[in-house]
Amino acid sequence: MFNKKRISIIALLLVILMALTACSKPTNEGTVSTNNADQGGNNASTSNLRPEGVPADFPNKEIEYFYAFGSGSIQDAYIRILFDKVKEMEGWEHGVVITYKEGASGKIGWNEIANAKPDGYTIGFLPTAMLIPGIAEEGKVKFGYDKFDYIFNMMSDPGAIGIAADSEYNTLEEFVEAAKANPGKITVGVTSTVGQEGLTMQLLEKVSGASFNVVAFDSESEVLTGVVGGHIDAFCLNISDTTTFIENGQIKVLATGAEERSEFLPDVPTYKESGYDVTQVNMRAVGGPKGMPEPIREYLEKCLLAAAEDPEVKEKIKDMQIPLDSLSGGEVEEKFGNINNDLSELWETSPWQ
């Protein structure tokens, strides 16, 4: 009798325990799980960076990032650091895969991005340099200013016009006036007469009335060596190209090409401050094909902007001498648009080949 009573009590306790457990068990209904198994590894559904409208499982596969050149550049290294931080920060199971699409001076890669499905899973590297063939070869290439949705700007390398340290010129105005007085006699070295540097000199000629003898070299170092050796009068390159020669006291920069003075050369005026309404800046941005869902574009933008401000990222890149210029997609679109308008106007009056 005692044993039967004891068994009955134990059985009753088990029933009560099971009922309590069932009542206290959480339900998945109406909630978003942050468990990796439930969300394909994406903790990002609770992220403050994720706008409304982004699927809870985005990205549920790897994002492909097209780079239109070879590996090893500073922008290639930087975007890897940024996306590694984004993956860690947002808890993505799937990351970003870099695909190199070299050839035709970048045109193969830019066509790939422009023609991709605009779902947020294909993005890529978009420098301002891609605007040039987009204008000159309109109809022959599939890319151009209006063929992309812009996400983020990594860096902006302003242009720089300068001369040898012992040159007689001290300002860009003096240099331009000398070219006006001696049409076609003042030589300026660039790496391409139909690239950003060569076209900058054409714009400078257009707004100033000067006439330069623009000479193309195979590399930035050859241009600067020619200036230092007295073989050419000046150079038009980017600030990042000049660092070593400036540190060695071999050259001096007369003016720089961004809207504001460079943090690396704060005492050097801009082209506009010198009296010439010309902009030269090599912006290096990230974008995707036109028509990306805005919430996804905005999410990627916010992720990259946040990663760029992360202390660990800043520590990693502090010795890389990157001309950082983190900008939103809207800011990139505006600045690219201004440059595109300038180049389009130049094309109408002085088409390059």
Side-chain angles (χ1 to χ4, degrees), residues 327-338:
L327 300 173
S328 68
E331 291 172 310
V332 174
E333 184 173 11
E334 180 182 356
K335 289 179 179 292
F336 270 48
N338 291 336

Side-chain angles (χ1 to χ4, degrees), residues 71 75-85 96 98 100:
S71 61
Q75 54 265 17
D76 182 28
Y78 184 47
I79 197 64
R80 288 175 179 275
I81 292 171
L82 289 180
F83 274 123
D84 283 348
K85 174 53 65 175
V96 176
I98 311 292
Y100 298 99

Side-chain angles (χ1 to χ4, degrees), residues 49-55 292-300:
L49 300 176
R50 182 177 289 263
E52 185 178 349
V54 178
M292 290 175 62
E294 176 55 22
I296 289 178
R297 188 212 63 79
E298 183 185 351
Y299 179 46
L300 294 174

Side-chain angles (χ1 to χ4, degrees), residues 161 163 168-188 201 204-212 233-234 254 274-276:
I161 295 176
I163 49 7
E168 62 184 288
Y169 309 115
N170 293 303
T171 66
L172 182 59
E173 186 179 10
E174 289 179 5
F175 179 68
V176 169
E177 289 302 314
K180 290 170 72 173
N182 301 278
K185 299 292 180 65
I186 303 295
T187 52
V188 181
M201 295 309 301
L204 185 58
E205 288 180 330
K206 183 178 178 181
V207 301
S208 69
S211 176
F212 298 97
D233 298 303
L254 297 176
S274 302
Y276 309 102

Side-chain angles (χ1 to χ4, degrees), residues 191-211:
T191 58
S192 172
T193 57
V194 295
Q196 192 174 51
E197 301 151 9
L199 297 184
T200 293
M201 295 309 301
Q202 285 193 42
L203 286 169
L204 185 58
E205 288 180 330
K206 183 178 178 181
V207 301
S208 69
S211 176

Side-chain angles (χ1 to χ4, degrees), residues 275-310:
Y276 309 102
D277 190 11
V278 176
T279 301
Q280 180 195 359
V281 57
N282 188 0
M283 296 178 65
R284 295 158 189 173
V286 177
K290 195 72 175 177
M292 290 175 62
E294 176 55 22
I296 289 178
R297 188 212 63 79
E298 183 185 351
Y299 179 46
L300 294 174
E301 170 190 276
K302 288 183 174 182
C303 285
L304 288 167
L305 286 170
E309 293 301 314
D310 185 85

Side-chain angles (χ1 to χ4, degrees), residues 57-199:
D57 65 344
F58 180 85
N60 58 29
K61 61 182 180 179
E62 291 176 331
I63 295 172
E64 189 167 23
Y65 179 90
F66 282 112
Y67 187 67
F69 304 97
S71 61
S73 69
I74 192 170
Q75 54 265 17
D76 182 28
Y78 184 47
I79 197 64
R80 288 175 179 275
I81 292 171
L82 289 180
F83 274 123
D84 283 348
K85 174 53 65 175
V86 170
K87 183 180 179 182
E88 172 195 326
M89 186 172 61
E90 292 296 281
W92 290 357
E93 179 183 7
H94 303 284
V96 176
V97 175
I98 311 292
T99 299
Y100 298 99
K101 285 286 184 179
E102 301 178 60
S105 301
K107 287 182 279 190
I108 291 176
W110 298 326
N111 272 327
E112 287 276 359
I113 301 168
N115 290 327
K117 184 178 179 180
D119 57 3
Y121 286 97
T122 303
I123 58 177
F125 175 65
L126 299 177
T128 44
M130 68 90 184
L131 299 173
I132 297 170
I135 293 169
E137 300 181 44
E138 186 178 7
K140 297 179 182 178
V141 296
K142 301 298 184 182
F143 62 86
Y145 166 68
D146 60 351
K147 297 297 190 293
F148 300 104
D149 281 337
Y150 299 92
I151 296 170
F152 168 75
N153 190 64
M154 293 184 278
M155 57 190 80
S156 297
D157 196 1
I161 295 176
I163 49 7
D166 59 357
S167 172
E168 62 184 288
Y169 309 115
N170 293 303
T171 66
L172 182 59
E173 186 179 10
E174 289 179 5
F175 179 68
V176 169
E177 289 302 314
K180 290 170 72 173
N182 301 278
K185 299 292 180 65
I186 303 295
T187 52
V188 181
V190 298
T191 58
S192 172
T193 57
V194 295
Q196 192 174 51
E197 301 151 9
L199 297 184

